[in-house]
Amino acid sequence: MFRHSMPFSELIGQDRALGALRSALARGALHHAYLFGGPEGVGKGTAARLLAQACNCEGEGSLGPGLASPVASALGVDPCGICGPCRKIARGTHPDVIALAEERAMVKAGRWEPKGGRAPSRDIVVDQVRDLVDHRLAMKRFEGRRRFVLVDPADAMNPQAQNALLKTLEEPPDDTTLVLVASSSEQLLPTIRSRCARVLFAPLADAVVADRLVADGRSPEEARLAAALAGGSLGRALALDAAALAARAQAVEAAVALDPDDASTWIAFARDQGGDREAARETCELLGVWLRDVLAVQAAGEAAPLALGDLTPQTRAAAGGLTPAQALWRIERARAAAAALRQNAAPALALERMLIGWFHGELR
Ligand SMILES: [Zn+2]
């Protein structure tokens, strides 16, 4: 995912998280263990790599050997992205920047071999942590100024693996910083969390995500739709392709046009849209986004900014036709359907249930 190096300013919408890191860097007061928390796809992994680069960059204007010097802090802390260490870190080949990921991914990348011919796990397993602690961190640094261990995703560590890392988190070797990257940090043991300085990465604003997609060459309509569906995750928005987005938009438009008094139309809709669970879930989430637009119009009138601008006439009509309580009730049903679909519910059935709730429920 991370192909080339870039300065911190390229990491969009994370000023608060980066401010904390920048000031620690400028003071030469980097913690020995960080937990980067926040949703998936908002730049946590990129920030971890940038931090390793900033500390090891040899380019002009970099921190230089005296990490804490006032001169360095006046120069700023952006890595250059083109010097030897910056490139090696971006490629994942710097000997002092050690990456730990799910066993299966490490095997696939040719960087790990499970012991005894065991099938690779989806977790980060205790053998991997022991190899890190007993071998790699037991060695001296090779060439870098500061060694980094990037555990991403840290929430893939099973409890055994987490316990094996505890002592190192408490007393890491000199000049070593561990960065744990986790989108579900509640999966980490409290003893792990309490030993790390936490840096929280926020979900990105829809407008920030949409702007970035437009800069990448997507149309404004498509960008808005992808941003609305991505829930603040640029990674997720980038992964949504145009055809799938157009299909979801059509499904939402069809759902919005359903006749509450004709059950046969709801059943037909559920059948037509019920072929694919993931698509059905996205449709439900997008319907939730649309209904929030309806609430926004009810609250702020026609000046309200809408996430799904293409549906403006339908949104205004629904804002006049439904009470806010009804709109909220429908959001609740859409959310329940999306949750059921995440739990393997049959797609057609989940959609039908949502529509029965909408049109036949207590608050129809
Ligand atoms: Zn550099």
Side-chain angles (χ1 to χ4, degrees), residues 7-8 22 25-26 54 57-80:
F8 281 122
R22 273 175 182 282
L25 272 172
C57 179
E58 286 169 359
E60 213 168 305
S62 72
L63 285 173
L67 194 63
S69 84
V71 180
S73 63
L75 285 171
V77 291
D78 274 346
C80 74

Side-chain angles (χ1 to χ4, degrees), residues 282-317:
E282 288 180 358
T283 299
C284 293
E285 288 192 356
L286 216 46
L287 281 166
V289 172
W290 175 69
L291 286 159
R292 281 195 291 278
D293 275 355
V294 171
L295 281 175
V297 171
Q298 288 174 336
E302 301 204 340
L306 301 180
L308 304 178
D310 290 351
L311 292 174
T312 302
Q314 293 96 318
T315 308
R316 287 179 182 164

